[in-house]
Amino acid sequence: PPSAPAPRATDRGHRPDMDICLGEYPGVKDAWMEVVASQRQSLLSVDISCSEVTDSGLNFLSDCSNMQSLSCNYCEHVSEHGLGVLSGFSNLTSLSFKRSDGVTAKGMSVFANLVNLVNLDLERCLKIHGGLVHMKGLRKLESLNMRYCNYITDSDIKYLSDLTNLKELQLSSCRITDLGISYLTGLSKLTHLNLESCPVTAACLEAISGLASLMLLNLNRCGIYDEGCESFEDLKKLKVLNLGFNHITDACLVHLKGLINLESLNLDSCKIGDEGLLHLKGLVLLTSLELSDTAIGSNGLRHLSDLRNLYSINLSFTLVTDTGMKKISTLNSLKSVNLDNRLITDVGLAALIGLTGLTHLDLFGARVTDHGTSFLRYFKNLESLEVCGGSITDAGVKNIKDLKALTLLNLSQNGKLTDKTLELISGLTALICLNVSNSRVSNTGLRHLKALQNLRSLTLDSCRVTANEMKKLRVTALPNLISVRPE
């Protein structure tokens, strides 16, 4: 294996402290670990994520007792026996073992010695049910990630009740019910709680309402109904609230109007309508609002006219029409607008021309024509533009060719685009991602892309191009291209 970087000698002849990051570096095996471990007491941080290191390789670190940070994410060859080396790392403050079958309930017994641990990441560790009992003494723990640990249940969560320094707790897709949430009531410092896709109900909100420091709460896909939502009123410090894909209606939104510190609210696919937005008009700090796939129509948008800090709004799959666009055209702070909506036409796009600060505009599915694209010229700051499934031709692309700040351009599903389109956009040299799928683009047009030296992703599915010509383009002209479709 290659030698580890040679440490410079200090005046006193001691090795300097060392951090060695080999995460995702190809070919890292056990033999490398002997070199890494040669730093001994100087070694403070090691990242061997995605490596082929086994228990034997990990055991080389046993003499590195000053270790403060260790990342072994996706290390598939480490077993519970390899975790034994952790027992000597009493100075460890950060430990990450994402998606590891080696982290088992039995193997977690060594965690009891990690009394200085502040950050612990066990995401997708599927064999830790029953092992959290070994964590109850980790009183300095501030961040715990157990997302997608599908077998974690209420009986596990009770061992977290004494970890009163916890500030961030990630539990999405665990089997935790309202009972499990009741064990968290004493965690007064908790600021981030993620319960996405957990089988809880609104009854858990009574326990959550006592977490006065909470700033982020994710209840996405939890099956929450209106009953019990009055408990939201106590969460005065909330800045981010995700209620997407729940069964809540306008009756729930009544209880959100006092959350004046909210900056981000997600109501994706909830059963809310125009009158529900009336309760949001006082949330003047809102910067991001997700209303996709709701019954919101043009009339409801009038309640948002005073939200001057709003910079991102998603109105895809709503009942908003061109008329509604006029009601948000005064929100000059808007930078991101998603209008994936077949009720939006050229007229709706024209209503937005005052939003000259827009950096992201998604018109997927909107009925925008070549005439409508003429209004895109007003958005000189656009970095991301998606005009998919419309009726634009090469003539419409002429109105896009001068948007020099674009890094992402998606023109897919516009079946009349030809090689002329590639010629027109060849001056957009900042482009990183380009999608012109389902068009008439051919091998002949690929030569126009040679000027796009920053391009990293190119998608030309269902076009008149061949995999061989795309490969040739990648090898001879676009060295930064990582993702190419079709390959």
Side-chain angles (χ1 to χ4, degrees):
S3 298
R8 293 178 299 173
T10 64
D11 291 339
R12 291 180 291 179
H14 295 299
R15 296 182 181 183
D17 293 336
M18 293 291 294
D19 296 334
I20 297 180
C21 181
L22 298 172
E24 300 186 33
Y25 195 87
V28 177
K29 300 182 179 181
D30 289 345
W32 290 51
M33 297 307 294
E34 186 173 5
V35 178
V36 171
S38 68
Q39 305 306 311
R40 298 183 182 276
Q41 304 303 311
S42 299
L43 192 61
L44 300 185
S45 175
V46 173
D47 185 346
I48 53 171
S49 298
C50 304
S51 71
E52 298 177 39
V53 171
T54 70
D55 295 345
S56 298
L58 206 57
N59 282 330
F60 280 121
L61 299 177
S62 58
D63 291 332
C64 305
S65 57
N66 286 330
M67 188 93 67
Q68 295 177 9
S69 176
L70 177 62
S71 295
C72 298
N73 302 322
Y74 313 108
C75 289
E76 299 177 353
H77 304 291
V78 173
S79 74
E80 64 180 22
H81 302 294
L83 297 185
V85 72
L86 299 178
S87 61
F89 294 164
S90 59
N91 292 317
L92 209 61
T93 59
S94 180
L95 178 63
S96 185
F97 263 96
K98 286 184 179 178
R99 208 183 74 181
S100 173
D101 286 340
V103 183
T104 64
K106 181 180 179 181
M108 288 176 66
S109 61
V110 299
F111 285 18
N113 299 318
L114 307 181
V115 294
N116 288 304
L117 208 58
V118 176
N119 303 302
L120 178 59
D121 193 336
L122 300 175
E123 183 174 311
R124 296 185 188 273
C125 291
L126 303 181
K127 298 182 179 181
I128 63 174
H129 169 58
L132 271 63
V133 63
H134 303 297
M135 292 171 47
K136 61 182 181 180
L138 306 185
R139 301 297 177 87
K140 293 184 180 181
L141 202 63
E142 295 181 6
S143 176
L144 176 59
N145 181 6
M146 295 192 294
R147 294 195 309 163
Y148 312 117
C149 294
N150 306 100
Y151 301 104
I152 290 293
T153 67
D154 296 339
S155 63
D156 296 300
I157 299 302
K158 66 182 179 181
Y159 296 113
L160 305 182
S161 60
D162 291 331
L163 305 185
T164 54
N165 277 307
L166 266 184
K167 296 179 181 178
E168 180 175 352
L169 184 56
Q170 303 278 349
L171 297 172
S172 57
S173 298
C174 293
R175 296 183 181 180
I176 299 165
T177 71
D178 299 336
L179 174 62
I181 303 305
S182 69
Y183 296 129
L184 304 179
T185 54
L187 305 185
S188 60
K189 295 182 181 180
L190 203 63
T191 59
H192 291 62
L193 180 59
N194 183 354
L195 298 173
E196 181 170 353
S197 298
C198 291
V200 297
T201 72
C204 78
L205 294 176
E206 183 175 356
I208 291 175
S209 67
L211 303 176
S213 297
L214 211 57
M215 293 191 292
L216 181 150
L217 178 59
N218 187 350
L219 294 170
N220 193 53
R221 300 180 186 275
C222 285
I224 303 290
Y225 288 82
D226 293 333
E227 187 177 356
C229 285
E230 61 273 8
S231 295
F232 281 123
E233 298 176 8
D234 296 322
L235 299 175
K236 301 297 186 184
K237 293 186 178 181
L238 267 188
K239 292 185 177 182
V240 179
L241 178 59
N242 188 343
L243 295 173
F245 296 91
N246 282 296
H247 305 288
I248 60 172
T249 69
D250 293 347
C252 173
L253 301 192
V254 174
H255 304 296
L256 305 186
K257 62 183 179 182
L259 304 183
I260 58 175
N261 288 305
L262 267 188
E263 298 175 3
S264 176
L265 178 60
N266 188 338
L267 299 169
D268 191 350
S269 302
C270 293
K271 302 178 184 302
I272 60 171
D274 289 345
E275 293 312 306
L277 295 189
L278 174 65
H279 306 299
L280 306 184
K281 63 183 302 182
L283 306 183
V284 294
L285 296 183
L286 268 184
T287 59
S288 177
L289 183 58
E290 170 67 66
L291 297 172
S292 178
D293 206 10
T294 62
I296 298 297
S298 298
N299 288 334
L301 296 186
R302 72 184 187 275
H303 301 307
L304 307 181
S305 59
D306 292 329
L307 302 183
R308 299 297 178 180
N309 289 305
L310 202 62
Y311 73 76
S312 176
I313 188 168
N314 189 342
L315 299 170
S316 60
F317 306 109
T318 63
L319 302 178
V320 173
T321 65
D322 294 335
T323 304
M325 292 301 92
K326 296 179 181 179
K327 295 173 183 176
I328 63 171
S329 61
T330 58
L331 299 176
N332 294 324
S333 57
L334 276 176
K335 293 184 180 296
S336 176
V337 178
N338 189 330
L339 299 171
D340 186 348
N341 191 334
R342 292 198 174 276
L343 299 179
I344 301 296
T345 68
D346 295 344
V347 176
L349 187 54
L352 298 179
I353 60 176
L355 304 179
T356 55
L358 275 183
T359 59
H360 172 81
L361 181 59
D362 187 347
L363 297 167
F364 190 99
R367 292 183 291 163
V368 175
T369 67
D370 289 342
H371 170 68
T373 62
S374 65
F375 301 113
L376 294 175
R377 293 177 293 177
Y378 291 90
F379 307 128
K380 298 294 186 183
N381 296 311
L382 274 184
E383 298 173 7
S384 173
L385 174 63
E386 302 190 52
V387 190
C388 314
S391 304
I392 67 171
T393 68
D394 296 335
V397 178
K398 290 181 181 179
N399 297 313
I400 296 173
K401 69 181 180 66
D402 294 322
L403 301 178
K404 301 296 186 180
L406 280 178
T407 60
L408 183 151
L409 178 59
N410 188 348
L411 299 173
S412 63
Q413 317 304 320
N414 289 292
K416 296 181 180 180
L417 298 182
T418 71
D419 291 341
K420 183 65 176 178
T421 282
L422 298 189
E423 180 182 357
L424 289 168
I425 65 174
S426 62
L428 302 180
T429 55
L431 276 181
I432 296 174
C433 299
L434 175 63
N435 188 339
V436 198
S437 295
N438 294 94
S439 67
R440 298 178 183 175
V441 168
S442 71
N443 285 336
T444 303
L446 294 181
R447 71 182 189 275
H448 299 302
L449 300 179
K450 293 180 180 180
L452 306 183
Q453 290 297 298
N454 290 308
L455 207 61
R456 296 171 65 85
S457 175
L458 176 61
T459 306
L460 292 169
D461 288 332
S462 300
C463 293
R464 300 172 182 178
V465 296
T466 61
N468 186 55
E469 287 301 310
M470 292 183 72
K471 182 179 180 180
K472 185 185 300 184
L473 175 72
R474 182 181 191 179
V475 171
T476 62
L478 298 177
N480 293 315
L481 205 55
I482 296 174
S483 174
V484 183
R485 291 180 57 191
E487 292 184 348

